Amino acid sequence: MRLVIQLLLWLVIIFLAYLTFDAVYRPIQFNKVKEQRYAKVIENLKDLRAGELAHREVTGRFEGDFDKLVRFIDTAEFAITQRRDTTYLDEEYRRTYGVDQYIEDIVIDTLSFVSVKDSLYNGNEERYRSMINVPIEGTDAKFDLEAGTITKGDNKIPVFEAKIAKSEILYDQDRTLVLQENEIQSVDDVNGRFISVGSMQEVNTNGNWPQSYGDE
């Protein structure tokens, strides 16, 4: 009888030790998976932002249709320019007052053109054609992409946003830990339910990730 009790006690001790180990081990593994996946997702979001900023530079607006954004990257070019100071004689002032007066100005010369895809993506078509896809094995999720304008005073300012829910990125992880991740508030982590870049509510082209994942 005593031997049975001892065995039961050992089983209880082993079980409690396992629960303690699991309570520590699961969050550590979760964070490891999370950080690896977030890094991949953020790289795609940076590429999307680069394409959107190029689109705004050339056309004056952002693009909410990914297929149109890809077509733009395929064909568009950046102008390589040079700014230089210059002065010239104000002929009208001379005719009016008989005195020479010079005007200082800045001239922008277009030197050449370079394709957007070469400049931003080193000509790697697969890189920008697939950047809308969430790069996590086992999911076929895509980033939500929007573009439009918001009104500031009398001006309409172009804005865009690309985002993906954390639950999509962590689709195969412990649901309790995913729910906790959605509620996280920390300067060293991604806050909220989404990883995103840009905003449809304010003029902002930053990402919501911390500096540990690279530039915002």
Side-chain angles (χ1 to χ4, degrees), residues 51-148:
E52 289 287 358
L53 290 174
H55 193 280
R56 185 187 63 178
E57 181 176 337
V58 174
T59 70
R61 61 183 180 83
F62 292 118
E63 178 56 68
D65 185 315
F66 181 70
D67 290 336
K68 292 180 180 178
L69 181 61
V70 169
R71 287 197 292 273
F72 163 81
I73 295 170
D74 276 332
T75 59
E77 294 181 321
F78 286 127
I80 306 300
T81 61
Q82 174 181 279
R83 295 166 60 94
R84 57 185 174 86
D85 296 329
T86 187
T87 59
Y88 58 89
L89 182 64
D90 187 338
E91 296 288 355
E92 183 175 348
Y93 189 92
R94 184 181 183 182
R95 285 195 300 270
T96 303
Y97 300 103
V99 178
D100 289 350
Q101 176 170 287
Y102 290 87
I103 298 174
E104 295 184 355
D105 200 358
I106 295 174
V107 175
I108 300 177
D109 298 318
T110 299
L111 303 179
S112 62
F113 293 89
V114 61
S115 70
V116 170
K117 65 181 179 182
D118 288 339
S119 177
L120 299 181
Y121 308 103
N122 296 319
N124 185 341
E125 292 190 11
E126 176 60 25
R127 178 178 167 188
Y128 63 81
R129 290 181 186 277
S130 63
M131 63 188 178
I132 195 66
N133 301 322
V134 176
I136 304 301
E137 186 176 347
T139 179
D140 57 359
K142 298 180 183 296
F143 294 104
D144 292 327
L145 180 63
E146 293 183 78

Side-chain angles (χ1 to χ4, degrees), residues 60 148-159 200-203:
T149 60
I150 59 175
T151 302
K152 292 288 186 180
D154 296 328
N155 301 315
K156 286 191 174 183
I157 303 174
V159 292
M200 293 300 293
Q201 284 74 48
E202 58 186 49
V203 182

